[in-house]
Amino acid sequence: MNEDEWNGAVIESLSEEWAEKIIFLPECGSTNDEAQKLALKGAADFSVVLTETQTSGRGRRGQPWTCPPGEGMACSVILRPDDPPALWSRIALATGLAVSEALDSFGCSSGVKWPNDVWINEQKVCGILVEAGDGFVVVGIGLNVNVTCFPEGLAFPATSLALEVGTPVSREDVLVACLNRLRVRVAQIGSSFPELLEAWEMRCVLRGKEVSLMEGDKLKRGTVLGLSPGGELILATSSGRESLLQASEIRVIGE
Ligand code: BTN
């Protein structure tokens, strides 16, 4: 799909409210960088930067993120939460959950992998990069919608929505579904967080699994028990129950 089709289709299939909030860039370095620049210039809550091609798309821990033109979806959403910055780390959970819920409407059953990946059948379909600035948060979403070929040497097996459902899917419809769910879930990072957590845990792909991960320079191994009331990952390790705020990619042992 070329630039005009992407843009036109998005505008057409979005409610006026969303259409007004989307800034389409045919190509950019990273939508997260563009969104940050716009946020610093005062862009409104829920402004969205959408692109067809990123020349330096990035993932967590400085990993590159590739999004094949015409097949993937790469966008960044600017949020200006009313909630205090101490709660903004919950946006990562809210986004993963929102994307996973959005995929339901395409007949696809997905799960969330702490803190914010979306997986289908033990393969990654979506990566999320949340970056906070002064008074705003940028939520970058990279979703393999119609991707059929993946680069070699990926750290994890990858899949796409189209590969899972067996037919190409409208990227515009996926975008709208993700934005609508994101709005609902981001509104729950404050007093409604228990509701968000309950829904997140229902989709947790790691519960009960034995995993390994790096926390800083320490290798940890344990069984995932679930999430704490604050959204930390709770692990049962040989030294007892531990909760993790941040960790490297989590690997399931034996998979
Ligand atoms: C990860 O799983 O490592 C996170 C990947 C995040 C990729 C998205 S694509 C849109 C946005 N712009 C970027 O440069 N990164 C995010």
Side-chain angles (χ1 to χ4, degrees):
M1 183 176 282
N2 68 31
E3 167 203 340
D4 292 341
E5 284 169 330
W6 224 146
N7 205 12
V10 166
I11 301 301
E12 215 171 89
S13 64
L14 288 177
S15 64
E16 216 169 275
E17 185 211 356
W18 281 127
E20 278 170 8
K21 287 177 175 286
I22 291 187
I23 298 127
F24 177 72
L25 303 174
E27 181 180 305
C28 67
S30 154
T31 53
N32 266 35
D33 293 343
E34 297 301 328
Q36 279 184 35
K37 284 187 222 159
L38 288 170
L40 288 169
K41 287 188 198 153
D45 188 33
F46 265 95
S47 301
V48 180
V49 177
L50 173 70
T51 195
E52 190 64 271
T53 308
Q54 294 188 115
T55 51
S56 43
R58 54 175 202 278
R60 293 171 62 220
R61 289 174 304 285
Q63 295 290 310
W65 181 268
T66 54
C67 175
E71 298 180 347
M73 187 188 93
C75 69
S76 298
V77 186
I78 297 167
L79 300 176
R80 297 191 178 276
D82 291 333
D83 307 276
L87 302 185
W88 292 0
S89 61
R90 297 175 175 183
I91 290 172
L93 294 175
T95 309
L97 175 61
V99 171
S100 178
E101 290 175 333
L103 299 188
D104 289 355
S105 44
F106 301 90
C108 187
S109 165
S110 61
V112 284
K113 181 171 174 244
W114 190 88
N116 53 1
D117 280 354
V118 181
W119 284 54
I120 304 173
N121 292 330
E122 293 166 19
Q123 300 166 97
K124 181 163 170 168
V125 68
C126 172
I128 290 159
L129 181 66
V130 180
E131 296 175 318
D134 187 8
F136 65 87
V137 177
V138 169
V139 175
I141 303 173
L143 182 50
N144 301 328
V145 180
N146 292 323
V147 183
T148 49
C149 272
F150 296 94
E152 281 187 16
L154 290 178
F156 287 93
T159 190
S160 70
L161 189 48
L163 287 175
E164 296 300 321
V165 298
T167 177
V169 177
S170 153
R171 293 183 299 163
E172 300 73 38
D173 291 350
V174 173
L175 175 65
V176 176
C178 288
L179 293 174
N180 284 336
R181 289 313 299 166
L182 188 62
R183 182 167 291 230
V184 171
R185 290 307 183 182
V186 163
Q188 295 178 327
I189 64 165
S191 55
S192 304
F193 194 54
E195 207 177 308
L196 189 162
L197 275 187
E198 192 184 338
W200 198 97
E201 293 233 37
M202 303 271 285
R203 288 172 185 261
C204 173
V205 297
L206 294 177
R207 181 185 276 277
K209 302 238 175 178
E210 203 188 348
V211 298
S212 67
L213 54 91
M214 296 294 291
E215 191 191 25
D217 56 1
K218 277 194 218 130
L219 176 68
K220 294 216 155 147
R221 199 177 161 132
T223 305
V224 173
L225 299 180
L227 296 186
S228 72
E232 293 95 2
L233 187 76
I234 306 176
L235 267 191
T237 69
S238 52
S239 34
R241 218 177 133 97
E242 296 186 35
S243 51
L244 301 176
L245 250 184
Q246 279 194 334
S248 65
E249 288 282 0
I250 301 175
R251 291 183 182 278
V252 177
I253 295 170
E255 274 179 8

